[in-house]
Amino acid sequence: MKQRLDRNTIAMRAATELKDGDYANLGRGLPSLCALYIPEGVIFQSENGLLGYGPLVMEDEIEKAELYYVDAGGRFLTPAPGMAVFDVVTSFVMISSGRLITILGALEVSEKGDLANWNAGTDALGGTIGGGMDLAVGAKRVIIAMEHTTKEGKPKIVNECIYPLTAKECVDLIITDLAVIEVAPQGLLLREVAPGWTAEEVQALTEPKLIVAEGLKEIEL
Amino acid sequence: MKNKVFASFDEAVADIPDGASIAIESWGAPGTAQNLVAALRRKGVKGLTLITHNFIPTLFSEEEALFSSALLPQLKRLITAVVGIPQLGAGAFVKEYVEKGLEVELTSHGVLASRLYAGAAGLGGIYNPVGVGTILEEGKEKRVIDGKEYILEKPIRPDYAFIIAQKADKLGNLVYRGTFRVNQPVMAMAAKVTIVEANEIVEAGEIDPEHVVTPGIFVDRIVEIPQEGYGTAKRSKELVYRLGEIEIARKMLFR
């Protein structure tokens, strides 16, 4: 078996998409790991009404947990200089006015950039919507950080999403353990592959046809 | 000066009838008006409509903390963006009530906030692009405006809102604390009657006018949280340590 990037390395690659001065909202799971690798000057937003917070509190430092400051997932975080608190209406105006970049996880992404990431079943109560739909529609840029295939080895980049949609035609860039793929007007553009992988091998694990970008290269961190 | 300060939570909720609609924020225990939730449970009214951003089971005992979900047996209808915790089977905990007739209307956090704003502002609805192509558009009017698709989302105007504030003055001006402001300001504006539990009630003039978040015109009743009540600083700090003892919580809430 060829080596794939581990979750932290996917997060590290996704983090390179953010620059000093960007405002970012990170989804739960893999995307939240990006916080560890993001360059200085990136300001985090949390949809429960917080901008510019510091690192999350680690499991072994509960005494540091600042009772009145949690992120949207309820995780404790440390206040940072210049932090702002506000209500949820203001928070979702930040999201819907296209001022933020978001990094989200996904169950499936379609050829057109449709995103399914809130419910892995057919029952509407089998998942939670939260603020994911708002982020997917409103963000300036939607970056997906995920594994390329399911645990069973099936492609997560598909012709049409089977799972309930989060939003239509919203994804800009997909970063996986095998590749970096841009959702472009002409189709899915394969820009980077994991070290040791070929475009053909990535294609074999991807349902829609990939267009190999000029200057295809190995993923660099 | 009309007195807005009530002596007890039970008196503050005394006129809430069966079938009322109530907005209650629930984004973590210290951000939930837990004492008012407890009073509504004691009152035992039925057939309620609950509007809440997150409808999640508490990981604590009922003596330790109450979320808006503590009202589950009293509900007829639920409007929310989150039912349950994904790691704990999401909405599985409401299924037996759904089978007995509970209606659940799912929405997103942002759409819910905008619908409350529409209710507060007296608007007939909001055309929102969020949810196009998803389950949120089912049964709703859609419209193309300047080439882009939108869904008509109806306003929400609850009969009551339960609010927790850090501090209230006797005129009802409110200050919140940290991230537990959440969507309470617009809930207070949208509701016909807004009931506040405050960690501290002070005289008019003791809150700097520049710091008022919710002006008193939106607040009808205020009750001070007693030492032994839910949501005191001491009790909330104890909850943080309790979270550290609950394995699933530790995994979810700490890195």
Side-chain angles (χ1 to χ4, degrees), chain A residues 7 9-15 26-34 102-107 109 115 117 142-148 156 171 173-177 179:
Chain A
R7 286 166 66 83
T9 314
I10 302 170
M12 218 181 282
R13 173 61 187 83
L26 304 179
R28 45 175 98 174
L30 207 169
S32 70
L33 292 175
C34 297
T102 188
I103 302 178
L104 298 172
L107 293 162
V109 180
L115 170 64
N117 78 349
V142 177
I143 298 166
I144 300 301
M146 67 173 191
E147 272 100 14
H148 204 91
K156 291 174 74 173
V171 175
L173 190 71
I174 310 165
I175 298 170
T176 75
D177 48 358

Side-chain angles (χ1 to χ4, degrees), chain A residues 28 32-33 35-36 47-50 55-77 85-90 92 96 118-119 123-135 137-138 164-168, chain B residues 25 27 30 53 81-87 89-92 94-95 98 104 106-111 113 117 129-136 148-149 166 177-183 185-186 231-233 236-237 240-241 243-244 250-255:
Chain A
R28 45 175 98 174
S32 70
L33 292 175
L36 301 172
E47 60 268 29
N48 56 329
L50 200 55
L56 297 175
V57 174
M58 310 285 279
E59 200 177 319
D60 58 0
E61 48 181 25
I62 289 177
E63 72 288 348
K64 276 196 204 161
E66 195 29 275
L67 182 62
Y68 296 100
Y69 296 101
V70 296
D71 73 2
R75 293 175 306 171
F76 294 95
L77 47 85
V85 292
F86 36 84
D87 73 306
V88 168
V89 171
T90 307
F92 279 88
S96 59
W118 73 274
N119 192 330
D123 180 347
L125 291 175
T128 60
I129 294 173
M133 290 184 178
D134 305 274
L135 282 161
V137 170
L165 281 192
T166 304
K168 285 201 310 187
Chain B
E25 190 51 277
W27 218 322
H53 274 265
V82 171
V83 186
I85 298 169
Q87 293 90 329
V94 303
K95 292 243 164 91
V98 172
V104 180
L106 294 176
T107 184
S108 81
H109 279 149
V111 172
Y117 172 75
V130 174
V132 170
T134 79
I135 66 159
L136 292 198
K148 188 171 168 177
E149 261 189 305
Q166 178 64 21
R177 182 83 190 263
T179 45
F180 299 120
R181 181 180 308 191
V182 270
N183 212 24
V186 81
T232 59
S236 301
K237 187 71 194 173
V240 177
Y241 283 101
L243 281 172
R250 211 171 55 233
K251 280 197 184 136
M252 286 189 300
L253 303 182
F254 295 94
R255 200 168 76 201

Side-chain angles (χ1 to χ4, degrees), chain B residues 69-227:
Chain B
S69 64
L71 295 170
L72 178 56
Q74 294 167 254
L75 301 184
K76 186 186 81 180
R77 184 168 172 74
L78 170 64
I79 305 175
T80 187
V82 171
V83 186
I85 298 169
Q87 293 90 329
L88 293 177
F93 80 111
V94 303
K95 292 243 164 91
E96 74 171 277
Y97 292 91
V98 172
E99 280 158 21
K100 285 189 281 185
L102 172 69
E103 301 161 30
V104 180
E105 182 181 344
L106 294 176
T107 184
S108 81
H109 279 149
V111 172
L112 182 54
S114 68
R115 290 178 65 189
L116 284 161
Y117 172 75
L123 307 180
I126 287 207
Y127 283 103
N128 200 320
V130 174
V132 170
T134 79
I135 66 159
L136 292 198
E137 71 176 25
E138 287 167 14
K140 293 175 191 158
E141 179 194 322
K142 281 169 74 183
R143 184 161 170 182
V144 176
I145 302 171
D146 293 339
K148 188 171 168 177
E149 261 189 305
Y150 296 84
I151 301 168
L152 176 61
E153 293 286 356
K154 292 207 171 147
I156 298 177
R157 182 133 169 72
D159 296 322
Y160 296 87
F162 287 0
I163 303 293
I164 176 159
Q166 178 64 21
K167 196 186 279 189
D169 71 17
K170 288 185 175 171
L171 293 172
N173 293 307
L174 305 182
V175 174
Y176 301 92
R177 182 83 190 263
T179 45
F180 299 120
R181 181 180 308 191
V182 270
N183 212 24
Q184 299 193 106
V186 81
M187 286 178 168
M189 293 194 289
K192 292 169 195 146
V193 178
T194 296
I195 311 175
V196 174
E197 56 177 74
N199 287 103
E200 191 187 358
I201 299 179
V202 298
E203 295 299 327
E206 288 187 40
I207 298 174
D208 184 336
E210 302 280 356
H211 295 171
V212 171
V213 178
T214 292
I217 190 171
F218 299 119
V219 172
D220 300 285
R221 302 170 192 171
I222 318 160
V223 188
E224 191 164 51
I225 300 173
Q227 289 277 310

Side-chain angles (χ1 to χ4, degrees), chain A residues 171-191:
Chain A
V171 175
D172 296 294
L173 190 71
I174 310 165
I175 298 170
T176 75
D177 48 358
L178 299 183
V180 176
I181 296 166
E182 185 190 331
V183 183
Q186 67 272 35
L188 296 174
L189 210 53
L190 179 62
R191 291 202 168 279

